[in-house]
Amino acid sequence: MGWLNTEIRGFDEVITKIPNTQLSDIRISNRSRMMYSQVKQRLRFDYEAIDMIPQLCEEIREEISLSCPKVVTDGSRTFRVKWTDYQSDHVEVVVDCRLRNGPSGEKYYEARQGILEAIARASPSLLISTYLHT
């Protein structure tokens, strides 16, 4: 923070200068100091698999609990695997986890990959596609 402006370094290492007169009107979050992060995935399944969805949700939940030590599973943070929606050509399941590490850096991406691998192990024959939902 300088006399006239403040420099903020983004997670992508880009430095942005903001005039101090504008800082009183905006909210600034420092994600590097966050203790928890989130991984949220939407999974799409064909209607042919609809009878298997409840069991599949349980298998995904169990696989993540067993193989992903950074995921908070004690009830203090959100950890859900739920069937959430019908679409025209598929049904959706949401996997929503909180991790015991910040939302950036190598540790976050390793934990995120571990969650995706756990989902794939629990549903290899049913998994059609996944996409990030932020």
Side-chain angles (χ1 to χ4, degrees), residues 37-38 41 52-53 58 112 121:
S37 57
Q38 177 183 22
Q41 284 293 133
M52 300 169 71
I53 299 295
E58 186 57 34
R112 181 181 181 81
R121 281 191 300 275

Side-chain angles (χ1 to χ4, degrees), residues 57-67 79 81:
C57 289
E58 186 57 34
E59 289 174 10
I60 291 171
R61 188 179 302 105
E62 287 177 17
E63 184 63 33
I64 291 171
S65 294
L66 292 173
S67 63
F79 176 46
V81 181

Side-chain angles (χ1 to χ4, degrees), residues 8-12 27-40 97-105 108-109 112 132-134:
I8 298 175
R9 182 187 318 266
F11 65 90
D12 56 358
R27 253 187 197 157
I28 298 175
S29 299
N30 186 352
R31 296 180 64 150
S32 67
R33 296 189 186 258
M34 292 174 66
M35 294 176 50
Y36 294 95
S37 57
Q38 177 183 22
V39 172
K40 189 171 186 178
C97 308
R98 298 304 186 278
L99 306 173
R100 287 185 191 91
N101 56 287
S104 61
Y108 169 77
Y109 287 102
R112 181 181 181 81
L132 176 64
H133 178 74
T134 55

